[in-house]
């Protein structure tokens, strides 16, 4: 009654992945080594730094983003609370992974968002891909990542980037398209080129929307922490996974609380920075 199309699809995908590994394995290995070098450097820096230095850094970053001393002290307290839970080392591993994943997402997401905002053809091509990326269950991303890069931190970063980049692309696209056309036309009337308009008008005015996209990317990257631990990412996600495997709800709860605390720190800090950008734009307008 039903023609078997599943087996041919599976066989084709397996052959394609095998071809990629055989023909382009050195390329994927070079990418993995480059990402791993950066990740290890950041992770070692965070883990070797004295906790008071990290706490002071959290406070400085939060104050620079918000200009609010109470918010800065609250962020420092929350970071200190992670250490009190006994998960400081794991938190530093997770933060390092998050920094690298979000950094790659920004490098890829903002240019793609600009491209979709400036080209209807690109938007028609990229939007269905983004819909697919946001629809597929996050577990599925681990399969190709593990096949191409093996187990460990690099495939976890790849899966996190795939899962977390779409909001940044969409909000960058939205922010640039919502820039007042009169302002763009005025810039063009003064002789500005397309590149100058993009760099000097559209991106600065779209920064609040772009920051919202970065905020959403951070939150979605943290959501992948537990899932990525299944392929060796370690960090706080590994603590939650151990709690599940050993039927130890207490350990799982501690890991969950630490993830929530990190999410609050990153969310409040980035949101405060976005709010400041919005206020600055209103003042300039």
């Amino acid at each position: 009654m039903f023609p078997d199309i599943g087996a041919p699809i599976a066989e084709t995908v397996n052959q394609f992945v095998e071809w990629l590994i055989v023909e382009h394995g050195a390329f994927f290995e070079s990418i993995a080594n480059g990402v791993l070098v950066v990740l290890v450097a950041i992770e070692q820096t965070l883990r070797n730094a004295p906790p008071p230095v990290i706490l002071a850094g959290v406070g400085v970053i939060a104050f620079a983003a918000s200009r609010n001393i109470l918010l800065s002290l609250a962020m420092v307290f929350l970071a200190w609370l992670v250490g009190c839970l006994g998960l400081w080392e794991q938190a530093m591993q997770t933060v390092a992974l998050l920094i690298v994943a979000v950094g790659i997402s920004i490098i890829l997401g903002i240019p793609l968002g600009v491209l979709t905002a400036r080209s209807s053809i690109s938007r028609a091509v990229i939007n269905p891909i983004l819909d697919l990326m946001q629809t597929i269950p996050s577990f599925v991303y681990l399969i190709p990542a593990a096949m191409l890069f093996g187990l460990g931190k690099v495939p976890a970063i790849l899966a996190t980037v795939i899962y977390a980049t779409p909001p940044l692309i969409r909000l960058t696209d939205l922010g640039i398209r919502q820039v007042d056309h009169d302002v763009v036309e005025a810039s063009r009337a003064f002789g500005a080129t397309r590149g100058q308009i993009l760099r000097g008008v559209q991106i600065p005015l779209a920064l609040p929307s772009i920051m919202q996209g970065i905020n959403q990317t951070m939150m979605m990257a943290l959501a992948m922490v537990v899932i990525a631990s299944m392929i060796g990412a370690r960090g706080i996600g590994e603590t939650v996974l151990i709690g599940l495997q050993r039927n130890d709800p207490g350990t799982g709860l501690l890991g969950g609380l630490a993830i929530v605390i990190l999410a609050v720190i990153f969310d409040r800090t980035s949101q405060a920075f976005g709010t400041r950008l919005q206020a600055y734009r209103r003042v300039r307008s």
Side-chain angles (χ1 to χ4, degrees):
M1 179 178 178
F2 299 105
D4 185 8
I5 64 173
I9 292 175
E11 183 63 25
T12 301
V13 171
N14 290 337
Q15 291 177 356
F16 177 68
V17 171
E18 184 178 353
W19 174 80
L20 282 178
I21 295 173
V22 172
E23 297 295 330
H24 303 283
F27 172 72
F28 290 115
E29 186 175 359
S30 64
I31 293 177
N33 290 337
V35 172
L36 198 58
V37 167
V38 176
L39 176 62
V40 169
I42 295 174
E43 183 177 320
Q44 290 298 323
T45 300
L46 292 175
R47 294 177 66 182
N48 294 333
V53 173
I54 301 295
L55 294 175
V58 170
V60 169
I61 292 172
F63 183 76
S66 65
R67 295 294 193 272
N68 186 327
I69 188 65
L70 292 179
L71 177 66
S72 304
L73 292 176
M75 297 301 101
V76 172
F77 171 76
L78 289 175
W80 172 79
L81 198 59
V82 172
C84 295
L85 295 175
L87 296 173
W88 185 261
E89 291 285 330
Q90 294 89 329
M92 295 303 99
Q93 292 175 332
T94 297
V95 170
L97 190 148
L98 185 68
I99 290 173
V100 174
V102 172
I104 295 174
S105 296
I106 292 172
I107 292 172
L108 297 176
I110 293 179
L112 286 174
V114 171
L115 182 62
T116 57
R118 295 169 70 91
S119 171
S120 57
I121 297 176
S122 299
R123 188 182 308 124
V125 173
I126 293 175
N127 277 344
I129 298 175
L130 297 180
D131 293 338
L132 184 64
M133 291 169 65
Q134 292 183 299
T135 302
I136 294 177
S138 53
F139 283 95
V140 178
Y141 297 134
L142 301 180
I143 299 174
M147 286 182 175
L148 294 176
F149 297 100
L151 300 179
K153 298 179 182 293
V154 174
I157 290 175
L158 175 63
T160 301
V161 168
I162 296 173
Y163 180 72
T165 303
L168 179 55
I169 298 175
R170 291 189 185 279
L171 286 170
T172 300
D173 173 25
L174 179 65
I176 291 177
R177 285 192 288 112
Q178 285 185 335
V179 172
D180 194 337
H181 290 288
D182 292 338
V183 177
V184 176
E185 288 300 324
S187 303
R188 188 174 291 113
F190 279 102
T193 64
R194 285 171 59 88
Q196 290 172 334
I197 292 173
L198 176 65
R199 294 189 302 271
V201 177
Q202 291 176 312
I203 289 182
L205 293 179
L207 268 180
S209 180
I210 294 173
M211 282 303 305
Q212 186 64 32
I214 293 174
N215 173 269
Q216 292 301 309
T217 294
M218 287 181 180
M219 296 303 100
M220 295 185 72
L222 270 174
M224 281 290 291
V225 167
V226 177
I227 298 172
S229 67
M230 296 181 179
I231 55 174
R234 305 191 67 182
I236 296 177
E238 186 180 33
T239 302
V240 178
L241 185 62
I242 289 174
L244 292 173
Q245 291 173 338
R246 297 179 180 177
N247 194 23
D248 184 353
T251 299
L253 177 62
L254 291 179
L257 287 174
I259 291 174
V260 170
I261 291 173
L262 289 181
V264 171
I265 292 173
F266 281 102
D267 178 65
R268 291 297 92 196
T269 303
S270 59
Q271 287 276 16
F273 185 58
T275 301
R276 281 191 60 227
L277 284 177
Q278 187 73 35
Y280 179 70
R281 188 175 75 166
R282 290 198 188 101
V283 170
R284 292 201 62 180
S285 300

